[in-house]
Amino acid sequence: MQLTAEHHALRDTLKKFIENEINPHVDEWEEKEIFPAHDVFKGMGDLGLLGVTKPEEYGGMGLDWSYGAVVAETLGHIKCGAIPMAIGVQTDMATPALAKFGSDAAKEDFLKPSISGDYVACLGVSEVGSGSDVASIKTTASKDGDDYIINGGKMWTTSGTQADWMCLLANTSDDAAHRNKTLICLPLKDDSGKHRDGVTVARKLKKLGMRSSDTAEFFFEDVRVPQR
Ligand SMILES: Cc1cc2nc3c(=O)[nH]c(=O)nc-3n(C[C@H](O)[C@H](O)[C@H](O)COP(=O)(O)OP(=O)(O)OC[C@H]3O[C@@H](n4cnc5c(N)ncnc54)[C@H](O)[C@@H]3O)c2cc1C
């Protein structure tokens, strides 16, 4: 692939941000086993770096995959694996399905603030006993009027203790395991910034590596979310 002047400019912008705003703090954040995701993501969002491949309508740059590849490669300049991983969850795990398949209302409420860096997103797929075998997840979202009611739990959730919302995979019917699943935008906090009723961050997991990325275990008990 031939890189254009625009690819180089994008790489230089991100590299400068990493050198000035991330790398000087990595040792401290690794020691503390958490990095300030809202501050780092807001700084990146202000530079447009969280929405390089996302639609311009929602604050993205609307560029093709090659620019996303340049961002991913440049994140390698961060002096640890944890922060690139958390950024990757925000840009390439929790938000692509929303950008591609989400309703306008869901994109307005969850995609836009995730691109601007106002929201930290997390991905709720893995569960205790359902890692590689995603089809075996047990979390359910049952319909009640215009709402879903969510019960279950998630494990190994990157940025989980800090996240504002979760891209949650749940079973929405008793159909076959590969046909009964829905991704749901689940707001985790209320207006005061506390976790909503029924949302419990059970613990922040201690890890051998990726230390400055907080990894959470969640429980959900009758958590109500509107269908969108
Ligand atoms: C740092 C970290 C961050 C994470 N962040 C997130 C997150 O944000 N959101 C999220 O949803 N999940 C997250 N995960 C979970 C991650 O996706 C799972 O760890 C992964 O899917 C593997 O699942 P598991 O750990 O249960 O291992 P298992 O599925 O139990 O696998 C254990 C071992 O068995 C092997 N194995 C499994 N099945 C087979 C098979 N059929 N044939 C041959 N070998 C097999 C695997 O390769 C592996 O070596 C995170 C994990 C880590 C470590």
Side-chain angles (χ1 to χ4, degrees), residues 86-220:
I87 295 167
V89 166
Q90 178 94 357
T91 57
D92 288 272
M93 295 185 83
T95 48
L98 173 59
K100 195 162 180 187
F101 303 111
S103 65
D104 290 342
K107 285 192 267 197
E108 191 65 38
D109 287 355
F110 297 98
L111 182 62
K112 208 174 190 177
S114 301
I115 290 172
S116 66
D118 291 297
Y119 273 3
V120 171
C122 65
L123 179 78
V125 172
S126 304
E127 299 180 1
V128 175
S130 301
S132 305
D133 184 13
V134 170
S136 70
I137 62 160
K138 300 283 185 295
T139 295
T140 56
S142 38
K143 290 185 181 176
D144 181 44
D146 291 336
D147 293 343
Y148 281 121
I149 298 182
I150 294 160
N151 281 286
K154 293 291 167 183
M155 188 65 164
W156 307 115
T157 311
T158 296
S159 304
T161 70
Q162 304 189 72
D164 300 285
W165 71 279
M166 176 183 282
C167 174
L168 170 102
L169 186 72
N171 296 322
T172 41
S173 80
D174 294 328
D175 208 346
H178 293 87
R179 295 180 178 275
N180 68 346
K181 301 204 163 24
T182 303
L183 284 172
I184 295 167
C185 296
L186 173 64
L188 295 169
K189 295 176 177 170
D190 61 23
D191 291 342
S192 72
K194 291 197 176 125
H195 282 114
R196 297 172 58 211
D197 286 348
V199 174
T200 306
V201 177
R203 57 184 167 139
K204 177 166 164 268
L205 298 160
K206 224 170 162 52
K207 307 192 298 303
L208 287 172
M210 302 291 191
R211 286 173 192 265
S212 55
S213 160
D214 59 299
T215 310
E217 178 176 13
F218 278 91
F219 292 121
F220 302 117

